[in-house]
Every structure is written in structure tokens, then in C-alpha cells.
Amino acid sequence: MTFRFAALTVILAALIGAPSAYAQSAEGTWLTQAGDARVKISRCGGGICGHIVWLREPMDTATGQPATDSKNPNPALARRPMIGLPLFSGMEPAGPNKWSGQIYNADDGSTYASNISLTGADALRVEGCVGALCGGETWTRAGR
């Protein structure tokens, strides 16, 4: 009888704790650490996708036209608008509230190995690595 009660207690504790574990989701809109872009993250297959939905400066001051992915070394991709630009590729689960894949950096037109971790309900750690050298920033949830 004591074993059944203990097992029932463990099951109930897990069920009660489950909603809070799943309440934290990377889905939503995130403001970059510099505050110059917002990225919408959504489910994508078994992982997550992210694309730019807002820029502090959406126009290219040199041309007066909407900003493009001008730093991309591929001339065909360099004409893509920044709004709607996909940033993540192959971003698959790598643990609880963590994803690994690649991230595109529009500032230099390069793609890097990346890890993304939800560190709180409103904090997302975004890291990119070249070899053993990694750097990152913390994004905050927008519009909550």
C-alpha cells in the first residue's frame, strides 16, 4: 500500500509539474540584444525556424529602398529583403529547451554552428561558433 501511494505521488507530481515545463517555449517574437531586430520563432518540422519580422532601420539609407541581405556572398541571395530573412537552419532539439543547428549572420553574410537555449520564460541565449570559438547574446521576448 505504501509503494502504491508513493508511486501515485510521483505520478501526480510529474503531471502537476509538466505544464510548467511545457509553458516555456521558444515560439514567439524575440528582440535581439542590440534591439535592432525582432525574430519570430516557430515550430518547423521537429525543430524550430526563425526569421526577421522587424528592423529598427528597415530602409537602406544609401539606396532609400528596403534593406536587403547585401553582405551575402551569393549575388542572388544578396538581393533578398531583410524582412522575412530566415536565420536558422537545421535547428533541432538538443535537450530540454535547447536546440542546435546553424544560424545565419546577416551582418557578415556567413552561417555558423549554433546553439539556442531558453534560459527563462523571456530570455533566449543565442550562440554561434566558428571552430572552438563561440560568442552569443541574449534575446528577450517581445510583446509580453
Side-chain angles (χ1 to χ4, degrees):
M1 182 69 149
T2 304
F3 175 75
R4 283 188 202 164
F5 180 76
L8 181 61
T9 302
V10 169
I11 292 170
L12 285 175
L15 290 174
I16 290 170
S20 64
Y22 290 108
Q24 290 189 352
S25 169
E27 291 180 72
T29 303
W30 296 86
L31 183 64
T32 60
Q33 187 168 308
D36 56 356
R38 288 185 181 176
V39 177
K40 182 172 181 162
I41 296 178
S42 56
R43 289 183 192 219
C44 183
I48 58 173
C49 293
H51 63 275
I52 297 173
V53 294
W54 174 88
L55 293 170
R56 180 186 303 145
E57 296 180 23
M59 303 301 277
D60 182 333
T61 55
T63 65
Q65 299 295 314
T68 61
D69 187 17
S70 61
K71 302 277 175 45
N72 195 303
N74 180 333
L77 296 178
R79 292 189 297 268
R80 314 185 272 189
M82 289 295 288
I83 301 292
L85 186 74
L87 297 182
F88 304 154
S89 58
M91 203 56 74
E92 297 293 328
N97 297 318
K98 185 174 183 174
W99 298 265
S100 291
Q102 295 185 323
I103 190 166
Y104 177 72
N105 181 353
D107 291 336
D108 65 10
S110 296
T111 300
Y112 300 95
S114 178
N115 293 303
I116 297 174
S117 303
L118 194 60
T119 58
D122 296 323
L124 189 71
R125 181 72 184 162
V126 179
E127 297 178 333
C129 301
V130 176
L133 299 174
C134 296
E137 60 185 48
T138 300
W139 295 357
T140 54
R141 195 177 295 273
R144 244 198 200 193

